[in-house]
């Protein structure tokens, strides 16, 4: 089973590192932690980035970073290497109850 998604990360070209963490110092100042490992970088799904684009672009600028799209592909196989496919299951009474409760909560 293959699944692909796009994430957004901040990259500091001068240091050749990705934003790993940032912390407010309790004032207008902040500190940022960087990493060379892309897997350790803070990320946000592309859809969430697009909803907050202006704010996140300003944040990237404050960290002296550029915004990058990262395509991630997951490939799930069974331990013996054979293909994995999700099994379809029949809806249960519990599923119906959860759906009803979600509708009532709105």
């Amino acid at each position: 089973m293959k699944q692909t998604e796009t994430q957004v990360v901040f990259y500091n070209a001068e240091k050749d590192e990705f934003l790993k963490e940032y912390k407010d110092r309790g004032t207008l100042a902040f500190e940022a932690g960087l990493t060379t490992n892309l897997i350790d970088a803070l990320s946000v799904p592309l859809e969430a980035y697009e909803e907050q684009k202006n704010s996140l672009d300003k944040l990237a600028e404050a960290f002296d970073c550029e915004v990058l799209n990262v395509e991630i592909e997951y490939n799930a196989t069974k331990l013996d290497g054979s293909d994995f496919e999700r099994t379809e299951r029949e809806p249960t009474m519990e599923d119906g109850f959860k759906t009803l409760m979600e509708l009532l909560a709105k």
Side-chain angles (χ1 to χ4, degrees):
M1 176 181 88
K2 288 188 179 187
Q3 182 177 344
T4 304
E5 65 182 63
T6 303
Q7 296 280 325
V8 172
V9 299
F10 291 177
Y11 174 71
N12 182 305
E14 184 179 309
K15 296 181 180 177
D16 189 26
E17 294 181 316
F18 303 94
L19 182 67
K20 179 179 181 177
E21 61 187 354
Y22 64 94
K23 189 176 358 176
D24 176 2
R25 291 187 185 162
T27 63
L28 291 176
F30 57 85
E31 61 184 273
L34 301 171
T35 181
T36 56
N37 296 319
L38 179 57
I39 195 135
D40 293 331
L42 291 177
S43 64
V44 63
L46 181 59
E47 298 79 21
Y49 167 76
E50 289 172 347
E51 291 173 6
Q52 306 171 64
K53 184 178 180 344
N54 290 337
S55 298
L56 290 174
D57 285 349
K58 289 175 186 173
L59 188 61
E61 187 178 335
F63 292 127
D64 197 26
C65 291
E66 60 184 293
V67 178
L68 300 180
N69 286 338
V70 178
E71 290 270 331
I72 302 167
E73 181 176 283
Y74 300 96
N75 188 12
T77 60
K78 295 182 180 180
L79 289 177
D80 64 6
S82 63
D83 288 339
F84 165 76
E85 293 295 328
R86 289 185 177 204
T87 12
E88 300 225 5
R89 62 180 185 88
E90 295 293 320
T92 64
M93 179 69 89
E94 183 179 341
D95 294 334
F97 184 70
K98 283 182 183 177
T99 302
L100 177 62
M101 294 305 291
E102 288 171 3
L103 287 172
L104 292 174
K106 290 181 181 181

